[in-house]
Amino acid sequence: MHRAPEIVSFTPVAMLRTRRFFAVLAVALLLAAGCAPAAEPPAAAEMPALETRADSLAMRVYEAHGGPAAWASLPYLRFNFGSEREGVARPPVKHLWDRRSGAYRIEMPGGVDTTYVVLFNVNTRQGTAYLNGAPLDTAQSARMMEQAYGRFINDTYWLLVPLKLFDPGVRRAYVPDSSDAATDVLHLAFDDVGMTPGDQYWLFVDAATGRLRQWAYRLQSGREGRFAWTGYEEHAAPGGPLHLATRKEAVGAAVAILTDHLDTPAAVAADLFTDPKPRL
């Protein structure tokens, strides 16, 4: 599924508190989502064919953020996705992903002392939604499931795009006119996949380290944006360390997207994927 950055606009559920919360959240959050299936279980790392300069640059970026072996070996991923405006942080959405089975847990704030927990499988998109531990009715659960899957696609892309450059449907191009001795620029476009295949991204890569410094986008809708990727952290995986940015700062605006509280545990409690009460 591909859906590019845009202001969050969730379908409201029946509870008034949820409508009010997401109306506030929509002011701050920007949305980006991957073009390729995000829910592939770890497997033996396969090195893609590097046929162009763009492919070689994309692999350098991939390896600088961990590389195929580390990413393929990762069993679990835990992180928060939130935003900050004028230095004030919003309540985050909390994620936990079992990459082997596709089991997923997401906790979304719904107001004061209100948390939605959605337990589902990203491969089947089947699951159940809960409010403060109580199951929602069928219609409400279906709406929250749709929101949760959208957050999975969106929020993981903000965190993991350097590891997703060889996903199916991604077209890579080197941009020599924008590159210089310090920065290489990689352009991403997409085949006819997902909801908005006309979206485009530009990755500004540190020529010395291979790390992503900034990304810019131009949406199919015409909207544009640019964010600096900062706050890099190293996290262990069986196949080697991953290097992921925890903070994305808007260029020219006092807004930041936070992809923090990162963890890559070797094991987690099994009931985290069945317990409907807030735990993260």
Side-chain angles (χ1 to χ4, degrees):
M1 176 180 290
H2 171 58
R3 190 170 46 184
E6 59 184 355
I7 298 297
V8 168
S9 178
F10 290 109
T11 302
V13 298
M15 290 74 169
L16 180 59
R17 286 176 297 182
T18 306
R19 289 199 295 270
R20 288 175 177 167
F21 172 76
F22 284 117
V24 173
L25 189 64
V27 174
L29 292 185
L30 299 173
L31 194 62
C35 286
E40 297 179 358
E46 296 183 3
M47 297 294 288
L50 305 180
E51 300 176 350
T52 66
R53 184 173 182 179
D55 290 346
S56 296
L57 175 58
M59 179 52 69
R60 185 157 187 262
V61 174
Y62 196 173
E63 291 176 337
H65 293 80
W71 177 233
S73 72
L74 184 66
Y76 298 97
L77 178 63
R78 162 78 182 95
F79 73 102
N80 285 359
F81 181 96
S83 70
E84 183 181 286
R85 181 179 290 275
E86 303 289 349
V88 179
R90 307 278 182 171
V93 175
K94 301 177 181 181
H95 296 258
L96 178 64
W97 182 10
D98 181 343
R99 296 192 60 245
R100 296 168 298 186
S101 69
Y104 210 87
R105 178 187 186 92
I106 191 166
E107 298 184 7
M108 297 185 285
V112 178
D113 298 324
T114 302
T115 301
Y116 291 91
V117 174
V118 186
L119 307 173
F120 64 107
N121 188 288
V122 295
N123 300 315
T124 65
R125 297 180 64 172
Q126 300 296 311
T128 305
Y130 303 85
L131 173 62
N132 290 345
L136 298 176
D137 66 34
T138 300
Q140 291 173 339
S141 184
R143 286 193 289 269
M144 292 304 297
M145 270 292 308
E146 199 66 25
Q147 289 183 20
Y149 186 76
R151 295 313 304 242
F152 158 66
I153 293 293
N154 169 73
D155 299 359
T156 58
Y157 202 62
W158 273 96
L159 178 65
L160 301 172
V161 68
L163 307 177
K164 295 175 63 60
L165 301 177
F166 291 92
D167 282 4
V170 179
R171 289 187 276 114
R172 299 164 294 277
Y174 184 72
V175 188
D177 292 344
S178 299
S179 301
D180 56 32
T183 306
D184 288 308
V185 180
L186 182 67
H187 177 242
L188 303 182
F190 307 95
D191 292 334
D192 189 16
V193 295
M195 298 173 63
T196 53
D199 297 341
Q200 300 179 66
Y201 301 83
W202 289 263
L203 306 186
F204 295 81
V205 179
D206 188 309
T209 66
R211 287 192 182 178
L212 182 58
R213 283 194 206 155
Q214 292 188 3
W215 78 348
Y217 54 79
R218 181 183 301 137
L219 306 190
Q220 186 170 289
S221 66
R223 181 177 297 154
E224 299 181 350
R226 184 162 176 157
F227 284 76
W229 286 50
T230 66
Y232 273 92
E233 295 180 355
E234 179 176 301
H235 289 269
L242 293 166
H243 301 273
L244 300 171
T246 62
R247 183 179 178 88
K248 286 79 180 183
E249 297 181 348
V251 176
V255 173
I257 299 298
L258 309 179
T259 50
D260 55 7
H261 291 266
L262 278 167
D263 193 16
T264 55
V268 301
D271 66 346
L272 280 171
F273 297 104
T274 57
D275 185 356
K277 296 180 181 179
R279 294 268 301 270
L280 299 180

